Amino acid sequence: AREALPRLTRGFDMLGQAVQALREAQPHRPLAIAALPCIAQLWLSPRLPALQAAFPDLQISISAMEEPPDPQRDPYDLSLFYRETAPASGGLQLADDAILPVCAPALAAKLATSADLVAQTLLHDAVWRSDWARWLSFAVPGTKIDPSRGPAFSLYSLALDACLSGSGILMGRMSLVGPHLASGRLVAP
């Protein structure tokens, strides 16, 4: 089996490429987009009406997934994912992003200094669980705040919903929470 694996892998890759070529040959196939669930829901979805207005005949297929697809095996025209480092060859960085604590305005009224975070619930996205530690080490060096305490959510949108309801303070990604900050539903204390 170990000896056959490289040849089988090459064979399946070639088969996958042939199927992808057949799909690409379809004249009216949908634009296939793969995206991190939070990007699909919070960044891409609000932009779809403008895209469809600009290209009314364009059919779109969106797949939310936790890991970027393999471009050699998966038939996606566009993949939208976060990267902590500069994109590898073939990638394009759409924008820089920043993280900062965000919360509902009523909760922000209880926060005068960063020390007030000690008594608050910290909300976490399970994938970006280290964001609180990163931000605290930069913004409040030497703090006694435990960056790991508080609930973790498997989807960023669930953590955002908890934040919007006043359940705690979320380490917000500006590209995802920007509209809520602009509308005043969230504030950055």
Side-chain angles (χ1 to χ4, degrees):
R2 285 188 186 131
E3 289 177 26
L5 182 61
R7 286 178 290 199
L8 289 172
T9 300
R10 280 193 303 274
F12 282 117
D13 285 346
M14 288 176 64
L15 180 61
Q17 289 169 358
V19 169
Q20 185 171 350
L22 288 172
R23 286 184 178 148
E24 289 171 357
Q26 294 174 350
H28 300 291
R29 70 180 184 86
L31 174 67
I33 301 172
L36 194 62
C38 62
I39 293 174
Q41 184 176 11
L42 302 171
W43 186 87
L44 181 57
S45 288
R47 288 166 171 77
L48 286 178
L51 181 63
Q52 294 197 301
F55 302 97
D57 294 331
L58 179 65
Q59 296 296 315
I60 299 171
S61 170
I62 300 171
S63 296
M65 54 185 63
E66 293 295 330
E67 294 293 325
D70 179 344
Q72 298 298 320
R73 296 179 181 202
D74 299 316
Y76 292 100
D77 301 304
L78 178 63
S79 294
L80 300 171
F81 290 84
Y82 274 101
R83 290 204 177 160
E84 295 295 321
T85 58
S89 65
L92 172 69
Q93 181 172 332
L94 293 179
D96 288 327
D97 206 2
I99 58 173
L100 72 163
V102 296
C103 62
L107 186 53
K110 301 175 184 176
L111 303 170
T113 70
S114 58
D116 295 335
L117 290 172
V118 171
Q120 298 301 323
T121 300
L122 305 183
L123 304 174
H124 303 269
D125 174 81
V127 173
W128 296 318
R129 183 107 188 164
S130 64
D131 279 357
W132 270 106
R134 290 173 56 200
W135 184 84
L136 286 167
S137 69
F138 175 78
V140 193
T143 183
K144 302 291 186 218
I145 299 168
D146 176 4
S148 65
R149 84 166 191 283
F153 298 85
S154 64
L155 293 173
Y156 189 84
S157 59
L158 295 174
L160 179 58
D161 284 345
C163 182
L164 287 164
S165 72
S167 297
I169 304 168
L170 176 66
M171 189 52 57
R173 300 245 166 182
M174 283 301 295
S175 61
L176 302 178
V177 301
H180 295 293
L181 290 169
S183 72
R185 292 186 67 204
L186 291 178
V187 296

